[in-house]
Amino acid sequence: MKTDNINHEFLDGVLDGSHPDVYYHFGVSNEDSLLEPLRDVRAVIMAGSGGRIKEFADHWSELNGGAEIVAFPKDDRFVTRYTAGVLFASHGMGMPSASIALQELMRMVFFLKGGDEEAMADVFWARVGTSGGVGLPGGTVVVTSEGVMADLKPYRLIQGGSGTYWFDSTFPADVYNAIIAASDHTDFDVVSGKTVAGNEFFLEQFRLDGAIRLETDESKMEWLKWLHDNGVRNIEMEGAMMAGYLNHWGFPKFAMICCTLLNRLEGDQVTASPEQLHKFSEDSGVVLFNYLKSTLLD
Ligand code: R2B
Ligand code: URA
């Protein structure tokens, strides 16, 4: 872990009881007894939708002999479940929403592990989601090697004091390679590649089917081909920020696993049937659970 980058000014006072930490968007604080069982947390799994979180937690509980599921009472922002060493939390859509979830979850993990850097470094983080494929058909699962923004540069934010703050938004290679290896007998392809995180589903993903259109057929295809030539295999909306924040604290184990819903070289609209979409989304869950089983089940 990179101890200098952890916000000790605020977080050390939580550990010594000087002040509480309120994880406002999750509706809990470090003083809630609900968090007590979560001290054993070994993985934090995030997904965009709350429904997905409930399904994941039910499945992980079943795989662990019907382990008890702790449900956080507040669910109007994020849906959260804990069972058998895994905290499952939704993050909504886009980096502004997901950054709120991730910052509060990082603080929660800091508290749950008593600030012990070795214990924190053992925690595995993942986002499981959907994406648009770049040169890949719908139904492929992409395990991200590097998160970039729409200009192929790493994640960054505008910071008052220091201008632009750049993050390292790469993903650890040992982890994405192990995830792919744990899913080597699936009936769908699992590949690694760079992933663009767009700040918009339409405009920053160069779609032509939004209410607002800023691109032409030519400029869209030029962008998509440029991405493809530079190793990008899919486009979504959160990964670059997630990798940036987790690297900032020095977490060594994290990943992003996304199914593709369409090939963006062939179109913009998501026209797959509900059955196909269900299968695509199940498949990214299969890849996650193959890895969790290989690492967390005794
Ligand atoms: C993938 O899908 C969502 C948009 O449909 C967004 O959260 C993402 O990253
Ligand atoms: N999610 C995205 O952000 N983009 C897509 O094209 C599909 C899913």
Side-chain angles (χ1 to χ4, degrees):
M1 304 292 296
K2 295 175 187 153
T3 190
D4 287 353
N5 282 346
I6 295 177
N7 181 4
H8 287 288
E9 285 91 335
F10 175 69
L11 291 170
D12 288 356
V14 180
L15 294 185
D16 69 21
S18 310
H19 58 85
D21 194 2
V22 179
Y23 314 111
Y24 161 65
H25 299 87
F26 287 92
V28 291
S29 92
N30 70 301
E31 293 177 337
D32 283 331
S33 56
L34 178 102
L35 289 194
E36 206 42 50
L38 277 67
R39 287 189 184 273
D40 295 332
V41 67
R42 298 167 71 194
V44 182
I45 306 302
M46 289 172 277
S49 99
R52 204 109 203 269
I53 289 305
K54 292 180 195 167
E55 286 169 15
F56 281 168
D58 288 347
H59 186 58
W60 187 240
S61 162
E62 271 165 38
L63 288 173
N64 284 274
E68 190 193 346
I69 300 178
V70 177
F72 282 27
K74 179 177 161 88
D75 63 4
D76 57 339
R77 297 295 190 190
F78 304 126
V79 172
T80 318
R81 298 285 184 272
Y82 174 80
T83 186
V86 183
L87 181 60
F88 295 93
S90 64
H91 58 61
M93 282 188 282
M95 294 190 271
S97 173
S99 63
I100 298 170
L102 184 57
Q103 292 231 26
E104 292 189 1
L105 290 168
M106 286 165 69
R107 276 158 43 196
M108 215 181 279
V109 165
F110 179 88
F111 166 72
L112 291 168
K113 299 300 178 191
D116 177 335
E117 296 191 10
E118 232 171 272
M120 284 195 284
D122 260 353
V123 176
F124 168 67
W125 298 77
R127 160 173 142 72
V128 181
T130 58
S131 61
V134 182
L136 296 172
T140 312
V141 172
V142 181
V143 189
T144 301
S145 57
E146 184 178 346
V148 289
M149 298 187 76
D151 57 1
L152 286 182
K153 294 186 177 148
Y155 183 66
R156 70 274 191 185
L157 288 170
I158 297 162
Q159 274 306 105
S162 50
T164 304
Y165 190 88
W166 292 82
F167 288 84
D168 166 9
S169 41
T170 56
F171 285 74
D174 54 335
V175 180
Y176 64 75
N177 286 326
I179 291 174
I180 293 171
S183 279
D184 59 352
H185 329 286
T186 49
D187 65 351
F188 52 88
D189 288 333
V190 184
V191 303
S192 66
K194 291 185 197 173
T195 301
V196 164
N199 268 314
E200 231 267 30
F201 184 82
F202 297 97
L203 298 182
E204 257 201 23
Q205 299 190 23
F206 285 57
R207 279 186 152 84
L208 305 179
D209 64 338
I212 296 169
R213 174 174 168 151
L214 298 178
E215 302 298 331
T216 61
D217 283 300
E218 293 70 35
S219 66
K220 171 185 113 173
M221 288 313 290
E222 203 181 311
W223 181 68
L224 287 168
K225 286 192 177 128
W226 180 61
L227 298 189
H228 190 262
D229 290 348
N230 282 283
V232 171
R233 293 296 170 263
N234 63 340
I235 307 168
E236 48 79 73
M237 297 180 64
E238 296 85 13
M241 176 280 299
M242 282 191 176
Y245 285 12
L246 292 169
N247 277 326
H248 195 69
W249 270 28
F251 282 106
K253 295 194 290 183
F254 59 88
M256 182 162 74
I257 303 166
C258 288
C259 61
T260 57
L261 304 183
L262 74 162
N263 181 357
R264 284 296 314 286
L265 296 182
E266 289 170 3
D268 294 338
Q269 296 234 312
V270 179
T271 55
S273 67
E275 293 73 26
Q276 285 174 311
L277 292 174
H278 183 73
K279 159 93 169 99
F280 295 166
S281 150
E282 292 260 293
D283 288 348
S284 53
V286 166
V287 173
L288 167 74
F289 284 108
N290 284 345
Y291 180 71
L292 288 186
K293 283 192 267 184
S294 73
T295 51
L296 297 190
L297 284 188
D298 303 319

